[in-house]
Amino acid sequence: MQKFCSSCGGRVDAALPFQCSHCGERFWANSKPCAGVLVEHRGEVLLIRRAIEPWFGEWDIPGGFVDDGEHPEDGARRELLEETGLDLPVVSLLGMWMDTYDSPSAPVEHPLSLLNIFFLAQVPDDDERPIPALDPHEASEFDWFAPDALPSPIGFPNHQPAVIAAWATTRLTGEAFAPLPARSR
Ligand SMILES: [Zn+2]
């Protein structure tokens, strides 16, 4: 429920979608954009263990909500930096997956719909394996996983296992990852 119109400040008490009866502004219900990064080094992927609900204690891909006006590529890099301390360019778009922001242990009556956009970042194989500096409020541990030895359980089971499987399949078949789409800013 939204109590006030964010355009005119008038009282509305309405659930999305609605039109403000005071100023006529329309408010739509949309999926929340999220962005994440699969970090790869010597053929293995970095995953972190969630220290927050939903999916507390389960394996996770670094990522989070995209800010207002932020390009998903920048949001993915920012979330990676905030959660792991790693500042890496992204080199490929893995794809987009839908989900909701809830879990059986953290149920929500009207969970947010999520539009999750995932990118690939690669640490050069000649480099030392980076040691993430985790934000302890968000993640309790990290590890690197080969495409044929993935962990479980993986949080957000309606999309993250599919994201990791898409990476693993491409890695195992030796196909090229899709290039980054062009961007205007
Ligand atoms: Zn209004």
Side-chain angles (χ1 to χ4, degrees):
M1 290 292 286
Q2 197 160 319
K3 296 263 180 218
F4 296 95
C5 171
S6 60
S7 184
C8 73
R11 183 143 196 117
V12 288
D13 268 325
L16 291 170
F18 67 87
Q19 182 169 17
C20 176
S21 58
H22 308 284
C23 71
E25 182 79 8
R26 289 175 181 274
F27 294 90
W28 308 103
N30 303 105
S31 302
K32 282 274 189 190
C34 303
V37 186
L38 291 185
V39 176
E40 190 184 57
H41 182 239
R42 294 176 191 160
E44 296 186 335
V45 69
L46 173 68
L47 298 177
I48 58 181
R49 196 187 284 278
R50 291 178 67 79
I52 48 172
E53 292 285 4
W55 310 108
F56 180 94
E58 306 203 0
W59 289 100
D60 196 18
I61 303 168
F65 290 100
V66 175
D67 287 339
D68 183 29
E70 184 179 44
H71 194 291
E73 203 179 299
D74 299 332
R77 291 188 62 177
R78 176 183 52 74
E79 287 285 345
L80 176 67
L81 181 63
E82 288 175 5
E83 292 185 353
T84 70
L86 300 180
D87 187 8
L88 295 168
V90 296
V91 296
S92 176
L93 174 66
L94 289 173
M96 295 175 236
W97 286 263
M98 304 304 293
D99 206 344
T100 54
Y101 198 68
D102 61 341
S103 73
S105 64
V108 180
E109 192 179 351
H110 299 291
L112 287 175
S113 300
L114 307 178
L115 164 60
N116 302 281
I117 305 166
F118 284 94
F119 298 92
L120 178 72
Q122 290 171 314
V123 179
D125 286 350
D126 290 343
D127 286 8
E128 294 265 310
R129 177 153 288 186
I131 298 171
L134 298 181
D135 176 349
H137 299 293
E138 300 220 29
S140 57
E141 65 170 316
F142 68 88
D143 208 342
W144 298 82
F145 298 94
D148 57 358
L150 295 168
S152 72
I154 292 169
F156 294 97
N158 293 319
H159 81 281
Q160 287 202 138
V163 178
I164 298 167
W167 164 80
T169 299
T170 307
R171 174 51 58 209
L172 288 169
T173 58
E175 290 170 52
F177 287 97
L180 281 178
R183 54 183 284 186
S184 59
R185 63 184 181 92

